[in-house]
Amino acid sequence: MHELDGHLTVEIAEDVIFREKPVTLAPIAREKLSASHQALKALLERDSPIYGVNTGLGAFSRVRVSKADLIELQRNLVRSHAAGVGEALPERIVRGILLFR
């Protein structure tokens, strides 16, 4: 089992992708995620514009999204990136995509 802490080596990537070794997040990685989440929440509380979080995207980047519509915006962003066509990808490729993401 590999514990991911934010530093990914070629050896770890090969173990996860090609040898299907399990992974978990290291406590330090969880702490960093939590700190980022808290910082984002603080910015949102100050009503700071944050591209793609509480603003539109691209040509709509200067358009603010109301607090009432933020959940819908985020849900739509996930949905817009979740569509696919054709055969499902092999598990090995999916593991690699998720690892690098």
Side-chain angles (χ1 to χ4, degrees):
M1 165 117 33
H2 287 288
E3 200 174 64
L4 301 179
D5 63 3
H7 298 89
L8 186 62
T9 66
V10 170
E11 292 78 21
I12 292 172
E14 288 175 344
D15 276 352
V16 173
I17 296 167
F18 299 114
R19 295 183 255 314
E20 300 181 8
K21 297 283 177 136
V23 295
T24 187
L25 283 178
I28 188 69
R30 290 181 189 279
E31 291 169 17
K32 288 178 180 180
L33 282 170
S34 180
S36 293
H37 182 231
Q38 295 305 318
L40 178 60
K41 285 172 48 176
L43 288 171
L44 287 169
E45 285 297 317
R46 292 200 316 243
D47 204 31
S48 301
I50 306 166
Y51 179 79
V53 175
N54 62 3
T55 72
L57 301 166
F60 298 102
S61 65
R62 296 190 189 274
V63 176
R64 292 297 297 272
V65 176
S66 71
K67 285 186 179 184
D69 292 332
L70 289 180
I71 291 174
E72 184 179 354
L73 171 67
Q74 294 304 310
R75 184 177 292 124
N76 287 339
L77 284 171
V78 170
R79 286 179 177 159
S80 73
H81 289 84
V85 296
E87 297 296 318
L89 293 172
E91 185 176 332
R92 179 179 288 174
I93 292 174
V94 174
R95 287 179 67 83
I97 291 169
L98 291 174
L99 176 66
F100 290 119
R101 179 69 184 120

